[in-house]
Amino acid sequence: MASSGGTNSADVTDIERIALSSFLCTKVRTFRPSYPRIVQLFHDGWGTLDPANFVETNRWTWAATSNIRKCDKEGEIEVTVGSEKMRFKCKHYSPLLYNFLKRKYLSEPNPPSSSNFSCTRVTRTGAGVPTTLACLPHGLAEVNPGLSSPSSAEARIIQTYPYHTIEACGFLTDDPTGLTVKVHGRYRLFLTGRRSDLAAEIKRNAEATGVEFKVGTGVTKQQHLTDRANLGKDQGEPIASIDVIKPSPRRPASTGSRRTVVVTQSSLLEVDPVTGLCVSLRPLTHVYAIVRPWSSPSSLTVEYLDGSSRSYSCRVRDDLGSSLLDACLTAGNSDVAVTDAVSDGLRLIPRGVKEARENKSGLKAFFGSDGVEVWHLKRLGKLCLARVSCSPSASSSSLFSPSGLCVPECAAAARAFNANVTPEGVDPALDKRVVKDALAPVVALLKALADVRAGDSADAYSPKQQEEAERAAAAILQSAYRVCKCVFGFQIFLECSGCVDAFAGLLDAREEFVRFWAVRVLQVMVECPFSPRNKEQEFVNKQVLLAPPNIRRTLVGIIVGEDQ
């Protein structure tokens, strides 16, 4: 059932927390003007938001959604709810259609039957494993063997290859049952007596989602096995090798698969520690973000530009994360982000797609004269301003209620901003008024959060309150980092009330991730990030930020590894 009307800031926060994916679209109407909408997909349904104010305009359940298809007109999809057929136009419509079809399929208690093919999956060692391939609406899936369809409650999809990630399908030249599927630069080999039918079904479903079906080069089975065995051997000496547990649906006991993650100068490899063979290889230039969630101190997720992600469990996740970050930066991937939240559901355009700053005509329909980054920045500034005064007397006492920290909407807005703006920062020529109106309340809130310190006195904050404040500060610091890399952000930051005190408190935070981002912001402020360098402002920043003895002592402690 559709719902319309406004939502308050708490509702907006809830929407952001549970959205699985978001897309900028235009709702197409035949006899009336079309208008912009943000389409968001959830576990239980989907909805539209007005990009002017992020107010939810409609919400539907998946049960009420009966049909989703690609339109004949390029870039448009049609969604049927009851008797109403709605059309949405999206520049990146293939990921939109994929996510629509995926969420609809997974929501069905009894999904529609699909074309299933009994196969043998050939492993990297050459062994054969019985499996079943199902051509689902959104991708090619491996399902539990012995089940005619993944429709029962016990059935579980083992692996899905979205059609838009399948680079090519090829045939073995010496075995009429062999079909290869290339995903992420590596071929998977399946043997089936219905090879032609399987290839035809993949082609039909892929083209139905707007994806071109490509035929790969034919090889012999031995050539395939040789190429598979040599995968990763030409990637040079490892920079780091760390043992991890990789969550895997192939391990029903939730034990995961044991892997060794190897970081080289050009690639991230997963190696089977038993056989020594490379399981996967991803170029470092394809890494989009390194995510260290607060919810699990041993988990690390690597997001890639193609929309895929890989998660690992590791006792030394920060060692793995720092090695991967250093390698990415050395390989020229300066856009890689280090963050505490996945980008899915927050980013409005696909990973790796940048907003064209020199030509924003296509985005004016969504955000007026603003682009995506400016719109998110203004929203962050307004929410921070509403939470804490920008006066020198601003206090952290107003940040808490009996139920906990009162800034979740600010942290959520910061994470949305971070997901839509790469670490290279906002447009260097961003308007001064926009920067100042946002940066002043952001710094004021950071100062108030930095003042939350646990103590033994009766009126002191609790360790839990300090933890909550520091985790919110980590997200907002990442936003400040991106803003300070523009001309006026670099100039105005020190003019913001409480700036130096905020730095002193955040550099001395208990959470290592907060200290990491405080140091990164400090680095930007003492080393001009744009060209030509503003040497005069850089000199002033150094004198102001590095002069306080407490900041110098804290920085030395961080360098030598003293506990905070």
Side-chain angles (χ1 to χ4, degrees):
M1 179 177 179
S3 62
S4 60
T7 58
N8 57 32
S9 60
D11 294 327
V12 170
T13 302
D14 289 340
I15 291 170
E16 289 180 340
R17 285 176 177 172
I18 64 174
L20 301 173
S21 53
S22 302
F23 298 89
L24 289 176
C25 299
T26 298
K27 188 171 183 180
V28 180
R29 308 213 293 180
T30 305
F31 302 109
R32 287 181 288 176
S34 301
Y35 50 84
R37 282 292 179 262
I38 295 174
V39 173
Q40 291 193 314
L41 310 184
F42 309 88
H43 281 292
D44 60 348
W46 63 285
T48 57
L49 281 68
D50 186 343
N53 50 23
F54 228 74
V55 169
E56 187 177 62
T57 57
N58 284 287
R59 176 76 75 98
W60 299 272
T61 65
W62 291 119
T65 306
S66 58
N67 188 44
I68 304 163
R69 70 175 187 90
K70 178 177 75 74
C71 296
D72 294 335
K73 194 169 183 179
E74 183 71 18
E76 293 186 7
I77 71 168
E78 181 182 88
V79 184
T80 303
V81 178
S83 60
E84 182 181 7
K85 293 184 178 181
M86 292 170 282
R87 284 188 297 144
F88 294 94
K89 184 176 182 179
C90 181
K91 183 177 180 181
H92 310 284
Y93 78 98
S94 185
L96 171 64
L97 184 57
Y98 161 74
N99 280 278
F100 251 116
L101 293 170
K102 175 184 176 181
R103 298 263 57 100
K104 170 62 177 174
Y105 181 86
L106 295 179
S107 71
E108 297 282 0
N110 295 298
S113 60
S114 57
S115 299
N116 297 326
F117 298 83
S118 296
C119 301
T120 297
R121 175 171 57 84
V122 180
T123 68
R124 54 187 171 275
T125 62
V129 178
T131 189
T132 298
L133 289 180
C135 292
L136 305 182
H138 58 283
L140 179 67
E142 274 189 76
V143 300
N144 283 328
L147 294 174
S148 59
S149 171
S151 60
S152 68
E154 296 78 17
R156 201 161 42 87
I157 295 176
I158 298 174
Q159 180 77 39
T160 301
Y161 308 106
Y163 294 121
H164 65 273
T165 67
I166 296 179
E167 301 166 40
C169 288
F171 302 104
L172 293 187
T173 57
D174 61 344
D175 186 338
T177 68
L179 176 74
T180 58
V181 180
K182 187 179 183 181
V183 180
H184 305 319
R186 177 169 70 83
Y187 278 102
R188 281 82 171 164
L189 174 58
F190 299 94
L191 306 179
T192 175
R194 300 170 58 199
R195 179 174 75 171
S196 297
D197 293 340
L198 174 57
E201 191 68 13
I202 295 174
K203 180 177 185 295
R204 185 183 69 82
N205 284 13
E207 291 176 347
T209 61
V211 176
E212 180 185 359
F213 178 82
K214 295 182 179 179
V215 179
T217 304
V219 295
T220 65
K221 184 176 182 179
Q222 187 56 50
Q223 284 176 317
H224 168 82
L225 293 175
T226 300
D227 292 343
R228 186 68 186 82
N230 290 331
L231 182 68
K233 291 186 176 180
D234 59 349
Q235 297 303 303
E237 293 298 317
I239 297 173
S241 297
I242 297 177
D243 292 331
V244 302
I245 299 295
K246 178 183 174 182
S248 170
R250 298 186 194 277
R251 298 291 183 269
S254 301
T255 56
S257 302
R258 294 189 177 276
R259 295 286 182 260
T260 299
V261 172
V262 178
V263 181
T264 71
Q265 292 183 346
S266 60
S267 304
L268 176 65
L269 291 76
E270 290 180 23
V271 176
D272 185 339
V274 177
T275 64
L277 295 176
C278 179
V279 177
S280 80
L281 184 155
R282 305 296 290 269
L284 296 177
T285 52
H286 291 188
V287 176
Y288 173 76
I290 303 167
V291 185
R292 54 185 311 282
W294 296 111
S295 58
S296 175
S298 62
S299 296
L300 188 79
T301 296
V302 182
E303 294 185 328
Y304 293 98
L305 295 176
D306 63 1
S308 64
S309 301
R310 293 293 181 271
S311 295
Y312 308 101
S313 178
C314 176
R315 293 182 178 179
V316 288
R317 73 165 179 183
D318 285 337
D319 290 350
L320 174 58
S322 59
S323 298
L324 179 56
L325 175 62
D326 289 344
C328 287
L329 295 176
T330 302
N333 185 1
S334 58
D335 268 349
V336 64
V338 182
T339 184
D340 56 343
V342 297
S343 61
D344 297 335
L346 298 176
R347 188 167 173 82
L348 300 181
I349 53 179
R351 300 175 194 166
V353 176
K354 292 186 178 181
E355 178 182 354
R357 289 166 176 162
E358 69 279 2
N359 180 18
K360 298 181 181 178
S361 58
L363 292 166
K364 286 183 179 180
F366 294 96
F367 304 107
S369 59
D370 298 335
V372 174
E373 62 184 25
V374 174
W375 185 84
H376 276 94
L377 180 58
K378 286 182 175 179
R379 179 167 171 259
L380 173 61
K382 289 178 181 178
L383 289 170
C384 291
L385 183 61
R387 179 49 57 191
V388 63
S389 169
C390 292
S391 68
S393 60
S395 170
S396 60
S397 60
S398 63
L399 300 183
F400 288 93
S401 69
S403 60
L405 190 65
C406 297
V407 296
E409 73 281 4
C410 298
R415 293 186 177 102
F417 175 78
N418 302 337
N420 286 278
V421 180
T422 70
E424 289 206 331
V426 296
D427 187 344
L430 198 60
D431 181 74
K432 182 177 182 179
R433 173 55 59 184
V434 172
V435 174
K436 186 173 184 179
D437 287 348
L439 203 52
V442 163
V443 172
L445 183 56
L446 284 173
K447 167 64 170 59
L449 292 169
D451 288 342
V452 178
R453 284 290 181 267
D456 297 328
S457 61
D459 59 346
Y461 294 102
S462 68
K464 179 63 176 178
Q465 288 176 318
Q466 180 174 346
E467 178 185 89
E468 291 178 355
E470 290 188 354
R471 291 183 176 186
I476 300 171
L477 267 173
Q478 295 173 55
S479 300
Y481 174 85
R482 288 159 167 80
V483 178
C484 289
K485 299 188 88 171
C486 73
V487 173
F488 292 115
F490 186 72
Q491 293 178 359
I492 293 172
F493 192 78
L494 284 184
E495 300 176 8
C496 299
S497 177
C499 170
V500 177
D501 291 338
F503 259 121
L506 295 170
L507 286 169
D508 196 38
R510 289 185 177 181
E511 294 282 0
E512 187 176 11
F513 194 56
V514 179
R515 302 197 299 272
F516 168 81
W517 274 107
V519 169
R520 292 201 76 180
V521 175
L522 182 63
Q523 180 184 8
V524 169
M525 295 308 300
V526 300
E527 184 179 352
C528 185
F530 49 81
S531 182
R533 286 171 58 191
N534 186 338
K535 296 183 179 180
E536 182 177 338
Q537 185 66 51
E538 184 180 294
F539 176 79
V540 172
N541 290 354
K542 290 177 180 177
Q543 298 303 307
V544 174
L545 292 173
L546 300 180
N550 57 338
I551 289 182
R552 294 203 303 270
R553 284 195 300 269
T554 303
L555 285 173
V556 171
I558 292 174
I559 292 172
V560 300
E562 292 181 354
D563 292 335
Q564 301 300 302

